[in-house]
Amino acid sequence: MGVVSNWESKVAEVEAFRRKTVATAGIHRRKEDEGGRMNKLYGFDDDDEGGSLICVTSGVSYLGLALVNQLLLRGYSVRITVDNPEDIEKLREMVMCGEIKTTTMCNYEAVMAKLTDVDSLEKAFEDCRGVFHTAAFTDPAGLSGYTKSMAEIEVRVAENVMEACSRTPSIKRCVFTSSLSACVWPDNAESNLYLTINHSSWSSESLCIDKKLWYALGKMRAEKAAWRIANERGLKLTTICPALITGPEFCRRNPTATIAYLKGAQEMYSQGLLAIVDVTKLAEAHVCVFKAMNSNASGRYIIFDHVINTQSEAEKLSKEIGMPKDKICGDASNNSLHRFVMSNEKLCRLMSRSLRCYSEYY
């Protein structure tokens, strides 16, 4: 009885919190007559849709939190999906600690939605103009790893998110977070010397299976599933493929993805394909792409800040994540004959900012 009572108490607490945030949203929506002046203050034009309600899946994740903050700071209203009542409490703590940058001009609300349940997602997306699917997962077994079964779950969730988007009339755009690992494992038998890795590159499914690169396999299959459904349903979609996400306490706060991404780190390092990206810059890129989808943004984008190209850089990274340096550097004298060029020029052109647009390491 004690367990049941505790669960009922949690559900009641979640419902009270939901009503409070919805009421807050209502107060702000009643101020829509002032929206024009607010948008001008924040630099919006009519196409920016400042104040629109946007849904972020897994909004308490490392990337999700950074993205929520970027949207709130730009005047959007944000709905965050969470998996359980504990995440509601986590959100409260984030607000109290200032990790969520609320302002008097914007608002957020949290809803519980199961990523494995299309109906649950459809309800969460109701009245939203856009969806950011951050594809942030934790290992169901409680370990900091990424298994073959997680790759299968990733694909099913991607299909569910896209299906829910297609069922929701208010959804106009979806930005889907994939991974650079979905691009950097081409079939060695088909690759040429100094092959360019860019937004048109895809990892080889057979190679990922052979090397047990489940994270790369899951991200690649999930992204392809998202594109398939978007094309079938006529849904406007863009995908962003980030390098290893870094930032404050990134390994502690994003352990599953960090460790999973680094499976095969020695080979990525020797090929010149081990890259990193700051979480805040990544979140900014997401919002930039979303806004530009009304005009010229489309397709896939890869993003990275820097390629780990020297042993000292590799040793610094290994220290930050608590991984033996030889797991990244390997035998420094064992350099691969294949060296690659990575380009995120497409994203740089879109953002028109001082990102590192072109890196060559060979």
Side-chain angles (χ1 to χ4, degrees):
M1 292 297 291
V3 174
V4 174
S5 176
N6 183 57
W7 171 251
E8 291 176 345
S9 175
K10 283 288 188 182
V11 171
E13 187 178 353
V14 169
E15 178 61 21
F17 182 68
R18 187 193 69 79
R19 287 198 300 268
K20 182 178 179 181
T21 54
V22 170
T24 301
I27 291 172
H28 287 287
R29 280 192 287 270
R30 287 195 294 272
K31 297 182 179 180
E32 285 182 349
D33 59 323
E34 299 178 4
R37 291 195 298 274
M38 292 179 179
N39 286 347
K40 288 181 180 179
L41 177 64
Y42 271 74
F44 289 119
D45 57 33
D46 291 340
D47 292 331
D48 282 323
E49 300 177 7
S52 296
L53 180 60
I54 307 298
C55 188
V56 178
T57 65
S58 304
V60 295
S61 66
Y62 191 56
L63 171 59
L65 177 60
L67 181 52
V68 167
N69 278 328
Q70 289 299 319
L71 289 166
L72 290 173
L73 290 172
R74 285 162 173 76
Y76 291 94
S77 296
V78 182
R79 180 177 293 160
I80 303 167
T81 70
V82 296
D83 292 328
N84 51 64
E86 286 72 23
D87 283 342
I88 298 288
E89 183 60 35
K90 188 182 297 184
L91 279 172
R92 284 202 189 99
E93 294 174 359
M94 289 175 175
V95 172
M96 292 179 64
C97 295
E99 290 187 69
I100 294 181
K101 314 297 184 184
T102 57
T103 76
T104 58
M105 289 180 55
C106 57
N107 59 84
Y108 76 96
E109 60 179 308
V111 298
M112 284 201 295
K114 293 296 183 182
L115 296 174
T116 53
D117 183 349
V118 176
D119 293 335
S120 177
L121 287 169
E122 185 180 0
K123 185 176 180 180
F125 295 167
E126 186 177 4
D127 297 327
C128 292
R129 294 297 299 271
V131 169
F132 288 88
H133 178 50
T134 63
F137 293 92
T138 56
D139 189 340
L143 304 173
S144 294
Y146 191 102
T147 62
K148 184 178 182 180
S149 63
M150 287 184 69
E152 295 167 353
I153 293 172
E154 185 114 39
V155 176
R156 290 199 299 272
V157 167
E159 292 172 341
N160 290 342
V161 169
M162 299 309 295
E163 177 65 25
C165 284
S166 68
R167 291 185 189 178
T168 308
S170 62
I171 298 296
K172 305 302 180 184
R173 290 166 279 170
C174 178
V175 177
F176 186 103
T177 308
S178 181
S179 172
L180 189 58
S181 64
C183 309
V184 299
W185 294 102
D187 190 334
N188 289 333
E190 298 177 1
S191 63
N192 298 317
L193 199 63
Y194 309 137
L195 178 70
T196 298
I197 300 294
N198 59 22
H199 57 275
S200 64
S201 303
W202 287 96
S203 292
S204 163
E205 183 166 338
S206 59
L207 183 67
C208 290
I209 293 173
D210 290 344
K211 293 180 176 291
K212 295 182 171 55
L213 300 168
W214 307 130
Y215 185 79
L217 181 69
K219 294 298 183 182
M220 184 265 295
R221 282 181 171 175
E223 187 185 353
K224 287 188 173 182
W227 278 115
R228 173 178 54 79
I229 295 175
N231 291 332
E232 290 173 355
R233 304 300 179 86
L235 181 67
K236 186 175 282 189
L237 172 70
T238 57
T239 58
I240 297 179
C241 303
L244 176 66
I245 303 174
T246 59
E249 300 182 308
F250 71 94
C251 188
R252 182 183 68 81
R253 295 177 60 184
N254 198 32
T256 299
T258 297
I259 295 175
Y261 187 99
L262 290 172
K263 180 71 179 294
Q266 287 185 15
E267 189 170 345
M268 283 191 286
Y269 172 70
S270 69
Q271 298 275 15
L273 295 173
L274 181 55
I276 59 176
V277 62
D278 178 77
V279 67
T280 300
K281 291 183 180 179
L282 176 57
E284 290 173 350
H286 275 69
V287 179
C288 177
V289 167
F290 177 78
K291 292 173 67 176
M293 287 173 72
N294 271 338
S295 52
N296 62 338
S298 62
R300 306 173 78 211
Y301 295 86
I302 71 169
I303 179 171
F304 60 93
D305 286 335
H306 180 67
V307 175
I308 303 298
N309 190 50
T310 67
Q311 188 165 346
S312 62
E313 291 173 337
E315 290 176 355
K316 179 182 177 182
L317 177 62
S318 67
K319 184 177 181 180
E320 288 179 321
I321 60 180
M323 177 182 286
K325 63 181 181 180
D326 64 319
K327 293 292 185 180
I328 296 178
C329 301
D331 183 356
S333 64
N334 183 24
N335 292 320
S336 171
L337 294 176
H338 290 279
R339 302 297 285 174
F340 293 83
V341 176
M342 285 209 301
S343 171
N344 62 356
E345 185 178 3
K346 180 183 176 183
L347 180 63
C348 290
R349 289 198 307 267
L350 180 69
M351 297 186 71
S352 298
R353 54 174 295 177
S354 57
L355 287 177
R356 188 166 196 169
C357 296
Y358 203 73
S359 290
E360 295 187 9
Y361 293 88
Y362 56 90

